[in-house]
Amino acid sequence: MIIGGVAGWLAEMFMKSNMGMIMNILLGMIGAVVANALLSFFGVILTGWAGYLLAGVIGACILIAIARMFRGNRAV
């Protein structure tokens, strides 16, 4: 949960969105699953806390971008 929260917070800062702590944790955790699935499709495996953090940030950014696409170009 801590890595997910940090990953969500980093993605929030990178994507310039405004969310709360609970949403950051959820985005980081779900984003890590999404990014690991996408990266494993290409043969890339991330392990360790740094790998999970990187996957969480990448996945959370993807999820924020998808949410913006469906909601228009507003900040999520």
Side-chain angles (χ1 to χ4, degrees):
M1 266 184 23
I2 293 172
I3 294 173
V6 172
W9 178 76
L10 288 171
E12 177 185 53
M13 295 295 122
F14 180 73
M15 298 293 287
K16 294 178 178 48
S17 62
N18 187 18
M19 293 172 275
M21 182 177 65
I22 301 297
M23 193 63 173
N24 284 342
I25 293 170
L26 289 174
L27 275 175
M29 290 171 45
I30 296 169
V33 172
V34 169
N36 276 324
L38 288 173
L39 291 173
S40 67
F41 180 74
F42 294 107
V44 178
I45 307 289
L46 298 176
T47 59
W49 68 268
Y52 296 138
L53 180 65
L54 180 62
V57 170
I58 292 169
C61 286
I62 291 170
L63 292 175
I64 291 171
I66 290 171
R68 284 183 179 169
M69 189 171 53
F70 283 111
R71 291 185 179 191
N73 211 5
R74 297 182 302 151
V76 176

Short mmCIF file of all heavy atoms in Angstrom, two decimals:
data_model
loop_
_atom_site.label_atom_id
_atom_site.label_comp_id
_atom_site.label_asym_id
_atom_site.label_seq_id
_atom_site.Cartn_x
_atom_site.Cartn_y
_atom_site.Cartn_z
N MET A 1 0.82 -1.20 0.00
CA MET A 1 0.00 0.00 0.00
C MET A 1 0.86 1.26 0.00
O MET A 1 0.48 2.24 -0.63
CB MET A 1 -0.92 0.01 1.22
CG MET A 1 -2.26 -0.56 0.93
SD MET A 1 -3.52 -0.54 2.22
CE MET A 1 -3.11 0.70 3.34
N ILE A 2 1.98 1.21 0.69
CA ILE A 2 2.85 2.39 0.74
C ILE A 2 3.43 2.67 -0.63
O ILE A 2 3.42 3.82 -1.09
CB ILE A 2 3.96 2.20 1.79
CG1 ILE A 2 3.34 2.14 3.19
CG2 ILE A 2 4.99 3.31 1.71
CD1 ILE A 2 4.30 1.76 4.27
N ILE A 3 3.91 1.64 -1.30
CA ILE A 3 4.46 1.82 -2.65
C ILE A 3 3.37 2.30 -3.60
O ILE A 3 3.61 3.18 -4.44
CB ILE A 3 5.12 0.52 -3.15
CG1 ILE A 3 6.35 0.20 -2.30
CG2 ILE A 3 5.51 0.64 -4.61
CD1 ILE A 3 6.97 -1.13 -2.60
N GLY A 4 2.17 1.76 -3.47
CA GLY A 4 1.05 2.21 -4.30
C GLY A 4 0.71 3.66 -4.07
O GLY A 4 0.43 4.41 -5.00
N GLY A 5 0.74 4.09 -2.81
CA GLY A 5 0.48 5.50 -2.49
C GLY A 5 1.53 6.43 -3.06
O GLY A 5 1.20 7.48 -3.62
N VAL A 6 2.78 6.02 -2.94
CA VAL A 6 3.87 6.85 -3.48
C VAL A 6 3.78 6.89 -5.01
O VAL A 6 3.94 7.95 -5.63
CB VAL A 6 5.25 6.32 -3.02
CG1 VAL A 6 6.38 7.03 -3.74
CG2 VAL A 6 5.40 6.47 -1.52
N ALA A 7 3.50 5.74 -5.62
CA ALA A 7 3.37 5.68 -7.08
C ALA A 7 2.21 6.56 -7.56
O ALA A 7 2.34 7.30 -8.54
CB ALA A 7 3.17 4.24 -7.54
N GLY A 8 1.09 6.49 -6.87
CA GLY A 8 -0.05 7.32 -7.23
C GLY A 8 0.24 8.80 -7.06
O GLY A 8 -0.15 9.62 -7.88
N TRP A 9 0.95 9.14 -5.98
CA TRP A 9 1.31 10.53 -5.73
C TRP A 9 2.26 11.05 -6.81
O TRP A 9 2.09 12.16 -7.32
CB TRP A 9 1.94 10.68 -4.35
CG TRP A 9 2.37 12.07 -4.05
CD1 TRP A 9 1.58 13.13 -3.71
CD2 TRP A 9 3.71 12.58 -4.09
NE1 TRP A 9 2.34 14.24 -3.53
CE2 TRP A 9 3.65 13.94 -3.76
CE3 TRP A 9 4.94 12.00 -4.38
CZ2 TRP A 9 4.80 14.73 -3.70
CZ3 TRP A 9 6.07 12.79 -4.32
CH2 TRP A 9 5.98 14.14 -3.99
N LEU A 10 3.27 10.23 -7.18
CA LEU A 10 4.20 10.64 -8.23
C LEU A 10 3.48 10.82 -9.57
O LEU A 10 3.75 11.78 -10.30
CB LEU A 10 5.33 9.62 -8.37
CG LEU A 10 6.35 9.59 -7.25
CD1 LEU A 10 7.29 8.40 -7.40
CD2 LEU A 10 7.14 10.89 -7.20
N ALA A 11 2.57 9.91 -9.87
CA ALA A 11 1.80 10.04 -11.11
C ALA A 11 0.92 11.29 -11.08
O ALA A 11 0.78 11.99 -12.08
CB ALA A 11 0.94 8.80 -11.34
N GLU A 12 0.35 11.57 -9.90
CA GLU A 12 -0.47 12.77 -9.74
C GLU A 12 0.36 14.03 -10.00
O GLU A 12 -0.09 14.95 -10.69
CB GLU A 12 -1.04 12.80 -8.33
CG GLU A 12 -1.86 14.02 -8.01
CD GLU A 12 -2.29 14.05 -6.56
OE1 GLU A 12 -1.43 13.92 -5.67
OE2 GLU A 12 -3.49 14.19 -6.33
N MET A 13 1.56 14.07 -9.49
CA MET A 13 2.44 15.23 -9.70
C MET A 13 2.86 15.33 -11.17
O MET A 13 2.87 16.41 -11.74
CB MET A 13 3.70 15.14 -8.83
CG MET A 13 3.45 15.21 -7.34
SD MET A 13 2.78 16.82 -6.88
CE MET A 13 1.26 16.32 -6.13
N PHE A 14 3.19 14.19 -11.77
CA PHE A 14 3.65 14.17 -13.16
C PHE A 14 2.54 14.58 -14.12
O PHE A 14 2.76 15.34 -15.07
CB PHE A 14 4.18 12.78 -13.52
CG PHE A 14 4.68 12.66 -14.92
CD1 PHE A 14 5.88 13.25 -15.29
CD2 PHE A 14 3.96 11.97 -15.88
CE1 PHE A 14 6.35 13.15 -16.59
CE2 PHE A 14 4.41 11.87 -17.17
CZ PHE A 14 5.62 12.46 -17.53
N MET A 15 1.33 14.09 -13.87
CA MET A 15 0.20 14.37 -14.75
C MET A 15 -0.55 15.64 -14.37
O MET A 15 -1.52 16.00 -15.01
CB MET A 15 -0.78 13.19 -14.74
CG MET A 15 -0.21 11.89 -15.25
SD MET A 15 0.18 11.90 -16.99
CE MET A 15 -1.45 11.84 -17.69
N LYS A 16 -0.11 16.31 -13.31
CA LYS A 16 -0.72 17.56 -12.84
C LYS A 16 -2.22 17.40 -12.61
O LYS A 16 -3.03 18.17 -13.09
CB LYS A 16 -0.43 18.70 -13.80
CG LYS A 16 1.04 19.07 -13.87
CD LYS A 16 1.27 20.17 -14.86
CE LYS A 16 2.70 20.62 -14.95
NZ LYS A 16 3.72 19.62 -15.07
N SER A 17 -2.56 16.38 -11.85
CA SER A 17 -3.96 16.17 -11.48
C SER A 17 -4.11 16.40 -9.99
O SER A 17 -3.12 16.56 -9.28
CB SER A 17 -4.42 14.77 -11.88
OG SER A 17 -3.68 13.81 -11.19
N ASN A 18 -5.32 16.42 -9.51
CA ASN A 18 -5.56 16.71 -8.10
C ASN A 18 -6.49 15.63 -7.53
O ASN A 18 -7.67 15.62 -7.82
CB ASN A 18 -6.19 18.10 -7.95
CG ASN A 18 -6.32 18.50 -6.51
OD1 ASN A 18 -5.66 17.94 -5.64
ND2 ASN A 18 -7.16 19.47 -6.24
N MET A 19 -5.90 14.73 -6.73
CA MET A 19 -6.67 13.64 -6.13
C MET A 19 -6.28 13.52 -4.67
O MET A 19 -5.29 14.07 -4.24
CB MET A 19 -6.39 12.34 -6.86
CG MET A 19 -6.89 12.33 -8.28
SD MET A 19 -6.35 10.89 -9.15
CE MET A 19 -4.75 11.42 -9.68
N GLY A 20 -7.04 12.75 -3.95
CA GLY A 20 -6.75 12.55 -2.54
C GLY A 20 -5.85 11.35 -2.31
O GLY A 20 -5.47 10.63 -3.23
N MET A 21 -5.53 11.12 -1.04
CA MET A 21 -4.62 10.05 -0.66
C MET A 21 -5.19 8.67 -1.02
O MET A 21 -4.46 7.83 -1.55
CB MET A 21 -4.34 10.12 0.83
CG MET A 21 -3.37 9.07 1.30
SD MET A 21 -2.96 9.19 3.04
CE MET A 21 -4.53 8.83 3.80
N ILE A 22 -6.47 8.45 -0.77
CA ILE A 22 -7.08 7.14 -1.07
C ILE A 22 -7.04 6.86 -2.57
O ILE A 22 -6.69 5.75 -2.99
CB ILE A 22 -8.53 7.08 -0.55
CG1 ILE A 22 -8.58 7.32 0.96
CG2 ILE A 22 -9.18 5.76 -0.91
CD1 ILE A 22 -7.86 6.29 1.80
N MET A 23 -7.35 7.86 -3.37
CA MET A 23 -7.33 7.68 -4.83
C MET A 23 -5.90 7.44 -5.31
O MET A 23 -5.69 6.64 -6.23
CB MET A 23 -7.95 8.90 -5.52
CG MET A 23 -8.24 8.66 -6.95
SD MET A 23 -9.45 7.36 -7.11
CE MET A 23 -9.77 7.43 -8.83
N ASN A 24 -4.92 8.11 -4.71
CA ASN A 24 -3.52 7.87 -5.09
C ASN A 24 -3.12 6.43 -4.82
O ASN A 24 -2.45 5.80 -5.64
CB ASN A 24 -2.60 8.81 -4.31
CG ASN A 24 -2.61 10.21 -4.84
OD1 ASN A 24 -3.04 10.47 -5.96
ND2 ASN A 24 -2.17 11.14 -4.03
N ILE A 25 -3.51 5.91 -3.67
CA ILE A 25 -3.17 4.53 -3.32
C ILE A 25 -3.83 3.57 -4.31
O ILE A 25 -3.18 2.65 -4.83
CB ILE A 25 -3.60 4.22 -1.88
CG1 ILE A 25 -2.75 5.02 -0.89
CG2 ILE A 25 -3.49 2.72 -1.59
CD1 ILE A 25 -3.23 4.97 0.54
N LEU A 26 -5.10 3.80 -4.60
CA LEU A 26 -5.81 2.93 -5.55
C LEU A 26 -5.20 3.01 -6.94
O LEU A 26 -5.01 1.98 -7.60
CB LEU A 26 -7.29 3.29 -5.60
CG LEU A 26 -8.11 2.92 -4.37
CD1 LEU A 26 -9.53 3.48 -4.50
CD2 LEU A 26 -8.13 1.43 -4.18
N LEU A 27 -4.91 4.22 -7.40
CA LEU A 27 -4.30 4.38 -8.72
C LEU A 27 -2.94 3.69 -8.79
O LEU A 27 -2.61 3.05 -9.80
CB LEU A 27 -4.13 5.86 -9.07
CG LEU A 27 -5.32 6.55 -9.68
CD1 LEU A 27 -5.04 8.03 -9.84
CD2 LEU A 27 -5.68 5.95 -11.01
N GLY A 28 -2.14 3.84 -7.75
CA GLY A 28 -0.82 3.20 -7.74
C GLY A 28 -0.91 1.69 -7.75
O GLY A 28 -0.18 1.02 -8.49
N MET A 29 -1.82 1.13 -6.96
CA MET A 29 -1.95 -0.32 -6.88
C MET A 29 -2.55 -0.90 -8.17
O MET A 29 -2.02 -1.86 -8.73
CB MET A 29 -2.79 -0.71 -5.67
CG MET A 29 -2.07 -0.45 -4.36
SD MET A 29 -3.03 -0.61 -2.85
CE MET A 29 -3.92 -2.09 -3.05
N ILE A 30 -3.63 -0.30 -8.65
CA ILE A 30 -4.25 -0.78 -9.89
C ILE A 30 -3.32 -0.50 -11.08
O ILE A 30 -3.20 -1.31 -11.98
CB ILE A 30 -5.63 -0.15 -10.09
CG1 ILE A 30 -6.57 -0.61 -8.97
CG2 ILE A 30 -6.22 -0.51 -11.45
CD1 ILE A 30 -7.88 0.13 -8.91
N GLY A 31 -2.66 0.64 -11.04
CA GLY A 31 -1.73 0.99 -12.11
C GLY A 31 -0.57 0.01 -12.20
O GLY A 31 -0.11 -0.32 -13.30
N ALA A 32 -0.08 -0.48 -11.06
CA ALA A 32 1.00 -1.47 -11.07
C ALA A 32 0.55 -2.76 -11.76
O ALA A 32 1.31 -3.35 -12.53
CB ALA A 32 1.47 -1.74 -9.65
N VAL A 33 -0.67 -3.17 -11.49
CA VAL A 33 -1.20 -4.38 -12.14
C VAL A 33 -1.32 -4.17 -13.64
O VAL A 33 -0.91 -5.03 -14.44
CB VAL A 33 -2.57 -4.77 -11.52
CG1 VAL A 33 -3.22 -5.89 -12.30
CG2 VAL A 33 -2.39 -5.15 -10.05
N VAL A 34 -1.86 -3.01 -14.04
CA VAL A 34 -2.03 -2.71 -15.46
C VAL A 34 -0.68 -2.65 -16.17
O VAL A 34 -0.48 -3.26 -17.22
CB VAL A 34 -2.80 -1.38 -15.64
CG1 VAL A 34 -2.76 -0.90 -17.08
CG2 VAL A 34 -4.24 -1.53 -15.16
N ALA A 35 0.26 -1.93 -15.58
CA ALA A 35 1.58 -1.77 -16.22
C ALA A 35 2.32 -3.10 -16.28
O ALA A 35 2.97 -3.40 -17.29
CB ALA A 35 2.40 -0.73 -15.48
N ASN A 36 2.26 -3.90 -15.21
CA ASN A 36 2.93 -5.20 -15.24
C ASN A 36 2.34 -6.10 -16.31
O ASN A 36 3.07 -6.83 -16.99
CB ASN A 36 2.86 -5.88 -13.87
CG ASN A 36 3.94 -5.42 -12.94
OD1 ASN A 36 5.06 -5.15 -13.37
ND2 ASN A 36 3.63 -5.30 -11.67
N ALA A 37 1.02 -6.05 -16.50
CA ALA A 37 0.39 -6.86 -17.54
C ALA A 37 0.84 -6.40 -18.93
O ALA A 37 1.18 -7.22 -19.78
CB ALA A 37 -1.13 -6.77 -17.43
N LEU A 38 0.85 -5.07 -19.14
CA LEU A 38 1.28 -4.55 -20.44
C LEU A 38 2.76 -4.82 -20.71
O LEU A 38 3.14 -5.22 -21.80
CB LEU A 38 1.02 -3.05 -20.52
CG LEU A 38 -0.44 -2.61 -20.64
CD1 LEU A 38 -0.54 -1.09 -20.54
CD2 LEU A 38 -1.02 -3.09 -21.95
N LEU A 39 3.60 -4.62 -19.70
CA LEU A 39 5.03 -4.83 -19.88
C LEU A 39 5.38 -6.31 -20.06
O LEU A 39 6.26 -6.65 -20.84
CB LEU A 39 5.80 -4.24 -18.70
CG LEU A 39 5.79 -2.71 -18.62
CD1 LEU A 39 6.45 -2.25 -17.32
CD2 LEU A 39 6.49 -2.09 -19.81
N SER A 40 4.67 -7.19 -19.36
CA SER A 40 4.94 -8.62 -19.52
C SER A 40 4.56 -9.10 -20.91
O SER A 40 5.14 -10.06 -21.42
CB SER A 40 4.23 -9.43 -18.44
OG SER A 40 2.84 -9.38 -18.63
N PHE A 41 3.60 -8.44 -21.53
CA PHE A 41 3.23 -8.76 -22.91
C PHE A 41 4.42 -8.55 -23.85
O PHE A 41 4.59 -9.26 -24.82
CB PHE A 41 2.04 -7.91 -23.34
CG PHE A 41 1.58 -8.15 -24.75
CD1 PHE A 41 0.88 -9.30 -25.07
CD2 PHE A 41 1.84 -7.23 -25.75
CE1 PHE A 41 0.45 -9.54 -26.36
CE2 PHE A 41 1.43 -7.46 -27.05
CZ PHE A 41 0.73 -8.61 -27.35
N PHE A 42 5.24 -7.55 -23.52
CA PHE A 42 6.43 -7.26 -24.32
C PHE A 42 7.69 -7.94 -23.77
O PHE A 42 8.79 -7.65 -24.23
CB PHE A 42 6.66 -5.74 -24.39
CG PHE A 42 5.57 -5.02 -25.13
CD1 PHE A 42 4.65 -4.26 -24.45
CD2 PHE A 42 5.46 -5.12 -26.50
CE1 PHE A 42 3.64 -3.58 -25.12
CE2 PHE A 42 4.45 -4.47 -27.19
CZ PHE A 42 3.54 -3.70 -26.49
N GLY A 43 7.53 -8.78 -22.76
CA GLY A 43 8.66 -9.53 -22.23
C GLY A 43 9.46 -8.81 -21.17
O GLY A 43 10.56 -9.23 -20.83
N VAL A 44 8.94 -7.72 -20.63
CA VAL A 44 9.64 -6.95 -19.59
C VAL A 44 9.05 -7.33 -18.24
O VAL A 44 7.84 -7.24 -18.04
CB VAL A 44 9.50 -5.43 -19.83
CG1 VAL A 44 10.18 -4.65 -18.72
CG2 VAL A 44 10.04 -5.05 -21.19
N ILE A 45 9.90 -7.76 -17.32
CA ILE A 45 9.46 -8.14 -15.99
C ILE A 45 10.13 -7.21 -14.98
O ILE A 45 11.36 -7.10 -14.96
CB ILE A 45 9.84 -9.60 -15.66
CG1 ILE A 45 9.35 -10.55 -16.74
CG2 ILE A 45 9.35 -9.99 -14.28
CD1 ILE A 45 7.87 -10.76 -16.77
N LEU A 46 9.35 -6.51 -14.17
CA LEU A 46 9.88 -5.63 -13.14
C LEU A 46 9.71 -6.30 -11.79
O LEU A 46 8.62 -6.78 -11.46
CB LEU A 46 9.14 -4.29 -13.16
CG LEU A 46 9.26 -3.47 -14.44
CD1 LEU A 46 8.39 -2.23 -14.35
CD2 LEU A 46 10.70 -3.08 -14.70
N THR A 47 10.79 -6.33 -11.00
CA THR A 47 10.73 -6.95 -9.68
C THR A 47 11.31 -6.00 -8.65
O THR A 47 11.93 -5.00 -8.98
CB THR A 47 11.52 -8.27 -9.65
OG1 THR A 47 12.88 -8.00 -10.00
CG2 THR A 47 10.94 -9.29 -10.61
N GLY A 48 11.10 -6.32 -7.41
CA GLY A 48 11.60 -5.49 -6.33
C GLY A 48 10.74 -4.27 -6.12
O GLY A 48 9.85 -3.97 -6.91
N TRP A 49 11.00 -3.56 -5.02
CA TRP A 49 10.17 -2.40 -4.70
C TRP A 49 10.33 -1.30 -5.73
O TRP A 49 9.37 -0.60 -6.04
CB TRP A 49 10.45 -1.89 -3.29
CG TRP A 49 11.80 -1.29 -3.12
CD1 TRP A 49 12.94 -1.91 -2.72
CD2 TRP A 49 12.14 0.08 -3.35
NE1 TRP A 49 13.98 -1.01 -2.70
CE2 TRP A 49 13.52 0.22 -3.07
CE3 TRP A 49 11.43 1.19 -3.77
CZ2 TRP A 49 14.20 1.42 -3.21
CZ3 TRP A 49 12.10 2.40 -3.90
CH2 TRP A 49 13.47 2.49 -3.61
N ALA A 50 11.53 -1.13 -6.30
CA ALA A 50 11.74 -0.09 -7.31
C ALA A 50 10.98 -0.42 -8.59
O ALA A 50 10.41 0.45 -9.24
CB ALA A 50 13.22 0.10 -7.60
N GLY A 51 10.95 -1.69 -8.95
CA GLY A 51 10.20 -2.13 -10.13
C GLY A 51 8.71 -1.94 -9.96
O GLY A 51 8.02 -1.51 -10.87
N TYR A 52 8.22 -2.29 -8.75
CA TYR A 52 6.80 -2.10 -8.47
C TYR A 52 6.44 -0.61 -8.45
O TYR A 52 5.37 -0.23 -8.91
CB TYR A 52 6.42 -2.74 -7.15
CG TYR A 52 6.60 -4.25 -7.14
CD1 TYR A 52 7.14 -4.88 -6.05
CD2 TYR A 52 6.21 -5.02 -8.23
CE1 TYR A 52 7.30 -6.27 -6.03
CE2 TYR A 52 6.38 -6.39 -8.23
CZ TYR A 52 6.92 -7.00 -7.13
OH TYR A 52 7.09 -8.36 -7.12
N LEU A 53 7.34 0.21 -7.93
CA LEU A 53 7.11 1.66 -7.91
C LEU A 53 7.05 2.20 -9.34
O LEU A 53 6.14 2.96 -9.68
CB LEU A 53 8.19 2.36 -7.11
CG LEU A 53 8.08 3.89 -7.00
CD1 LEU A 53 6.82 4.27 -6.24
CD2 LEU A 53 9.30 4.46 -6.32
N LEU A 54 8.00 1.80 -10.16
CA LEU A 54 8.03 2.25 -11.55
C LEU A 54 6.78 1.79 -12.30
O LEU A 54 6.15 2.57 -13.02
CB LEU A 54 9.28 1.74 -12.26
CG LEU A 54 9.44 2.13 -13.72
CD1 LEU A 54 9.55 3.64 -13.87
CD2 LEU A 54 10.65 1.45 -14.31
N ALA A 55 6.41 0.53 -12.11
CA ALA A 55 5.20 0.01 -12.76
C ALA A 55 3.96 0.75 -12.26
O ALA A 55 3.07 1.06 -13.05
CB ALA A 55 5.07 -1.49 -12.50
N GLY A 56 3.91 1.05 -10.97
CA GLY A 56 2.77 1.77 -10.43
C GLY A 56 2.65 3.16 -11.01
O GLY A 56 1.55 3.62 -11.33
N VAL A 57 3.77 3.87 -11.16
CA VAL A 57 3.75 5.22 -11.72
C VAL A 57 3.32 5.17 -13.19
O VAL A 57 2.45 5.94 -13.61
CB VAL A 57 5.13 5.91 -11.59
CG1 VAL A 57 5.17 7.21 -12.37
CG2 VAL A 57 5.47 6.14 -10.13
N ILE A 58 3.89 4.24 -13.94
CA ILE A 58 3.53 4.12 -15.36
C ILE A 58 2.04 3.78 -15.50
O ILE A 58 1.32 4.40 -16.28
CB ILE A 58 4.40 3.04 -16.05
CG1 ILE A 58 5.85 3.51 -16.14
CG2 ILE A 58 3.86 2.71 -17.44
CD1 ILE A 58 6.81 2.43 -16.57
N GLY A 59 1.58 2.80 -14.74
CA GLY A 59 0.19 2.39 -14.83
C GLY A 59 -0.77 3.47 -14.37
O GLY A 59 -1.83 3.67 -14.97
N ALA A 60 -0.41 4.18 -13.30
CA ALA A 60 -1.28 5.26 -12.81
C ALA A 60 -1.36 6.38 -13.84
O ALA A 60 -2.44 6.95 -14.04
CB ALA A 60 -0.77 5.78 -11.47
N CYS A 61 -0.26 6.69 -14.50
CA CYS A 61 -0.28 7.72 -15.55
C CYS A 61 -1.18 7.28 -16.70
O CYS A 61 -1.94 8.09 -17.25
CB CYS A 61 1.12 7.99 -16.06
SG CYS A 61 2.15 8.94 -14.92
N ILE A 62 -1.12 5.99 -17.04
CA ILE A 62 -1.99 5.47 -18.09
C ILE A 62 -3.45 5.60 -17.69
O ILE A 62 -4.30 6.04 -18.48
CB ILE A 62 -1.64 4.00 -18.41
CG1 ILE A 62 -0.27 3.92 -19.10
CG2 ILE A 62 -2.72 3.34 -19.27
CD1 ILE A 62 0.28 2.51 -19.23
N LEU A 63 -3.77 5.25 -16.43
CA LEU A 63 -5.15 5.33 -15.96
C LEU A 63 -5.65 6.78 -15.91
O LEU A 63 -6.80 7.05 -16.27
CB LEU A 63 -5.27 4.68 -14.58
CG LEU A 63 -5.08 3.16 -14.55
CD1 LEU A 63 -5.10 2.66 -13.11
CD2 LEU A 63 -6.13 2.47 -15.38
N ILE A 64 -4.79 7.71 -15.50
CA ILE A 64 -5.18 9.12 -15.48
C ILE A 64 -5.44 9.61 -16.90
O ILE A 64 -6.41 10.33 -17.15
CB ILE A 64 -4.11 9.98 -14.77
CG1 ILE A 64 -4.08 9.65 -13.27
CG2 ILE A 64 -4.37 11.47 -14.99
CD1 ILE A 64 -2.91 10.28 -12.53
N ALA A 65 -4.58 9.22 -17.84
CA ALA A 65 -4.75 9.63 -19.23
C ALA A 65 -6.05 9.07 -19.81
O ALA A 65 -6.78 9.76 -20.53
CB ALA A 65 -3.56 9.17 -20.07
N ILE A 66 -6.38 7.82 -19.48
CA ILE A 66 -7.63 7.22 -19.96
C ILE A 66 -8.83 7.94 -19.36
O ILE A 66 -9.81 8.24 -20.06
CB ILE A 66 -7.67 5.71 -19.63
CG1 ILE A 66 -6.65 4.97 -20.50
CG2 ILE A 66 -9.07 5.14 -19.83
CD1 ILE A 66 -6.45 3.52 -20.11
N ALA A 67 -8.75 8.27 -18.06
CA ALA A 67 -9.86 8.99 -17.42
C ALA A 67 -10.04 10.36 -18.05
O ALA A 67 -11.17 10.80 -18.28
CB ALA A 67 -9.58 9.14 -15.93
N ARG A 68 -8.95 11.04 -18.37
CA ARG A 68 -9.05 12.35 -19.03
C ARG A 68 -9.65 12.22 -20.42
O ARG A 68 -10.38 13.11 -20.86
CB ARG A 68 -7.68 13.00 -19.12
CG ARG A 68 -7.21 13.56 -17.82
CD ARG A 68 -5.90 14.26 -17.98
NE ARG A 68 -5.48 14.82 -16.70
CZ ARG A 68 -4.28 15.31 -16.50
NH1 ARG A 68 -3.38 15.33 -17.45
NH2 ARG A 68 -3.98 15.80 -15.32
N MET A 69 -9.33 11.15 -21.11
CA MET A 69 -9.85 10.94 -22.46
C MET A 69 -11.37 10.80 -22.42
O MET A 69 -12.07 11.33 -23.28
CB MET A 69 -9.21 9.69 -23.06
CG MET A 69 -9.51 9.48 -24.51
SD MET A 69 -8.53 8.14 -25.25
CE MET A 69 -8.86 6.78 -24.16
N PHE A 70 -11.90 10.10 -21.42
CA PHE A 70 -13.33 9.90 -21.33
C PHE A 70 -14.06 11.11 -20.74
O PHE A 70 -15.21 11.33 -21.05
CB PHE A 70 -13.66 8.65 -20.49
CG PHE A 70 -13.44 7.38 -21.27
CD1 PHE A 70 -12.41 6.53 -20.93
CD2 PHE A 70 -14.25 7.06 -22.34
CE1 PHE A 70 -12.19 5.36 -21.64
CE2 PHE A 70 -14.04 5.90 -23.05
CZ PHE A 70 -13.00 5.05 -22.70
N ARG A 71 -13.40 11.87 -19.90
CA ARG A 71 -14.03 13.02 -19.28
C ARG A 71 -13.79 14.32 -20.02
O ARG A 71 -14.21 15.38 -19.61
CB ARG A 71 -13.49 13.22 -17.85
CG ARG A 71 -13.93 12.15 -16.92
CD ARG A 71 -13.46 12.47 -15.54
NE ARG A 71 -13.91 11.45 -14.61
CZ ARG A 71 -13.83 11.57 -13.33
NH1 ARG A 71 -13.31 12.65 -12.79
NH2 ARG A 71 -14.25 10.62 -12.54
N GLY A 72 -13.08 14.28 -21.09
CA GLY A 72 -12.66 15.49 -21.78
C GLY A 72 -11.24 15.81 -21.33
O GLY A 72 -10.58 15.00 -20.72
N ASN A 73 -10.78 17.01 -21.56
CA ASN A 73 -9.40 17.35 -21.24
C ASN A 73 -9.27 18.01 -19.88
O ASN A 73 -8.29 18.68 -19.61
CB ASN A 73 -8.82 18.24 -22.33
CG ASN A 73 -7.33 18.03 -22.48
OD1 ASN A 73 -6.75 17.16 -21.84
ND2 ASN A 73 -6.73 18.81 -23.35
N ARG A 74 -10.26 17.85 -19.02
CA ARG A 74 -10.19 18.43 -17.69
C ARG A 74 -9.22 17.64 -16.83
O ARG A 74 -8.92 16.50 -17.10
CB ARG A 74 -11.56 18.37 -17.00
CG ARG A 74 -12.60 19.16 -17.69
CD ARG A 74 -13.91 19.11 -16.93
NE ARG A 74 -14.32 17.69 -16.80
CZ ARG A 74 -15.04 17.25 -15.79
NH1 ARG A 74 -15.42 18.05 -14.85
NH2 ARG A 74 -15.41 15.99 -15.73
N ALA A 75 -8.75 18.25 -15.76
CA ALA A 75 -7.91 17.55 -14.79
C ALA A 75 -8.76 16.57 -14.02
O ALA A 75 -9.90 16.86 -13.67
CB ALA A 75 -7.25 18.54 -13.84
N VAL A 76 -8.22 15.42 -13.76
CA VAL A 76 -8.96 14.38 -13.03
C VAL A 76 -8.81 14.60 -11.55
O VAL A 76 -7.82 14.95 -11.04
CB VAL A 76 -8.43 12.98 -13.40
CG1 VAL A 76 -9.12 11.92 -12.58
CG2 VAL A 76 -8.62 12.73 -14.85
#
